[in-house]
Amino acid sequence: MDILSDLSDGLASLVEAVGPSVVRVEARRRLPASGIAWSSDGLIVTADHAIEHEEGIRVGLADGRTVTAVPVGRDPSTDVALVRARATGLTPATWVEPGTARTGHLVVSLGRPGRAVRARLGILTAVADAWRAPGGAAIDRYLELDSGPAAGFSGGATVDASGGVLGMQTTGLLRQTALALPLPTLRRVADALLAHGRVRRGYLGIGGQPVRLPVGLCRDLGQEVGLLLVSVEPGSPAEAAGLLLGDVMLAVGDEPIGHLQDLFGLLTAERIGTAVPVRILRGGEPRELSVVIGERR
C-alpha cells in the first residue's frame, strides 16, 4: 500500500509542478485545446489543427486569467502553431530530449481545456527513430501514446516520470493516434515560425501515386517503384520544366523516388530556387529534365 500511496503522491506532485506551464487555447468553435508556455514573455506552442480562427484567440493561464493572443505562425505539416499571448511572467516548460524515451515508459499527459489542468496516466506504446508525417514533414522521433484522442488535450504536454516535458501531444498527424512531438521538432519549427511566420518548404506542383516498374526496367534502373504523376498544377515549377501527366518520376538528383514522402523529404528550404535534375520515364523511355524548385505558399 505504501508503494501505491507513494506513486499516487508522486504523480500528483508532478502534475502540480508542470501544470503552470500548460494553458488553455480558445481558437475553435468546439472545446478549447491546450498549449505549452514556450517562453516567459507570452509565446505558446500548440497544435495547428486546434486553430480554427486566427482572430479573437484567447489563452487561459494557470493563475485563472484569460488574455488575448495573436498568431505568430503555423505549420500544418507538423501540426505545430505558435501564438503570442498578451501576458508576461509565464512559466516556460522544462523540456527533456527524447533520446532516453523507451517503449513502456510511464508518461503523464496534461491538458487544460477548462480552467483546471487535467491529467491522464499512460505509457509510450511505441518509440522509434525519425519519421515523415503524411504531409512530408520530418519528425525527429516517433513517440506514440497509449491514450486515444482526448478532448481538449491536443497541444498539451506529455511529461516523463522525472517531470520533464517530453513533447507536445497531437492527434492531428495520424488519425486516431495520439503522438508526442519531441523537442527537436518543436524547436526547429518554432524557430522558423518566429523568423518567417511559416516553415519554408520546396514545391513542384505535382500529385502522384506509387507504381511498380516493369521487370526489365527494375533490373536496369535498380529500383522497383516510381511515382506516377496524376496531376501537374498549371503554372507550377513542374509544368514549367515540361513534366506531363502520366510521366513516372524515378529520381531527383541521385535520390530514387517511389512515394510522395520521398519527394517531400528532398524539397528542403535550402533547395528553393535551385535547379535539380529529375529523371522520369515517358512512354517507356528514361529521360532527364531540369526543374527549378519553387516555394510552397
Side-chain angles (χ1 to χ4, degrees), residues 212-236:
R212 186 166 294 278
L213 302 176
V215 175
L217 281 174
C218 290
R219 184 175 54 252
D220 295 340
L221 299 173
Q223 68 185 85
E224 296 181 353
V225 178
L227 187 69
L228 174 66
L229 303 193
V230 298
S231 65
V232 178
E233 295 179 18
S236 66

Side-chain angles (χ1 to χ4, degrees), residues 41-60:
D41 62 355
L43 283 177
I44 305 292
V45 63
T46 186
D48 178 73
H49 78 268
I51 309 291
E52 292 182 353
H53 56 81
E54 296 187 355
E55 295 183 357
I57 297 175
R58 292 163 61 85
V59 171

Side-chain angles (χ1 to χ4, degrees), residues 211-291:
V211 62
R212 186 166 294 278
L213 302 176
V215 175
L217 281 174
C218 290
R219 184 175 54 252
D220 295 340
L221 299 173
Q223 68 185 85
E224 296 181 353
V225 178
L227 187 69
L228 174 66
L229 303 193
V230 298
S231 65
V232 178
E233 295 179 18
S236 66
E239 185 188 57
L243 287 167
L244 302 175
L245 216 63
D247 286 343
V248 177
M249 186 177 292
L250 302 173
V252 173
D254 296 326
E255 298 292 332
I257 301 295
H259 300 81
L260 277 174
Q261 284 80 1
D262 299 333
L263 179 61
F264 291 152
L266 298 175
L267 299 180
T268 58
E270 294 76 17
R271 288 192 167 187
I272 294 172
T274 65
V276 295
V278 175
R279 191 162 70 251
I280 64 169
L281 197 63
R282 180 178 292 171
E285 296 294 327
R287 297 190 183 190
E288 187 169 291
L289 303 174
S290 179
V291 181

Side-chain angles (χ1 to χ4, degrees), residues 90-180:
L90 274 60
T91 303
T94 300
W95 298 87
V96 292
E97 296 288 344
T100 58
R102 296 165 58 193
T103 301
H105 269 168
L106 285 174
V107 291
V108 177
S109 295
L110 300 182
R112 194 183 291 274
R115 289 179 61 87
V117 68
R118 298 184 182 182
R120 302 180 81 194
L121 178 64
I123 65 170
L124 291 174
T125 53
V127 175
D129 294 330
W131 63 289
R132 288 204 174 274
I139 311 295
D140 294 83
R141 194 86 160 143
Y142 184 83
L143 303 171
E144 183 180 318
L145 312 175
D146 68 328
S147 56
F153 270 63
S154 279
T158 298
V159 186
D160 69 7
S162 69
V165 178
L166 187 63
M168 184 197 79
Q169 184 168 318
T170 176
T171 55
L173 291 180
L174 296 179
R175 190 174 182 181
Q176 298 299 310
T177 303
L179 303 173

Side-chain angles (χ1 to χ4, degrees), residues 2 4 19-20 35 64 92 94-95 119 155 159 176 183 193 198 201 237-238 280 296:
D2 287 343
L4 290 178
T94 300
W95 298 87
V159 186
Q176 298 299 310
L183 175 60
L193 296 180
R198 67 185 188 282
R201 291 193 173 91
I280 64 169
R296 182 174 297 280

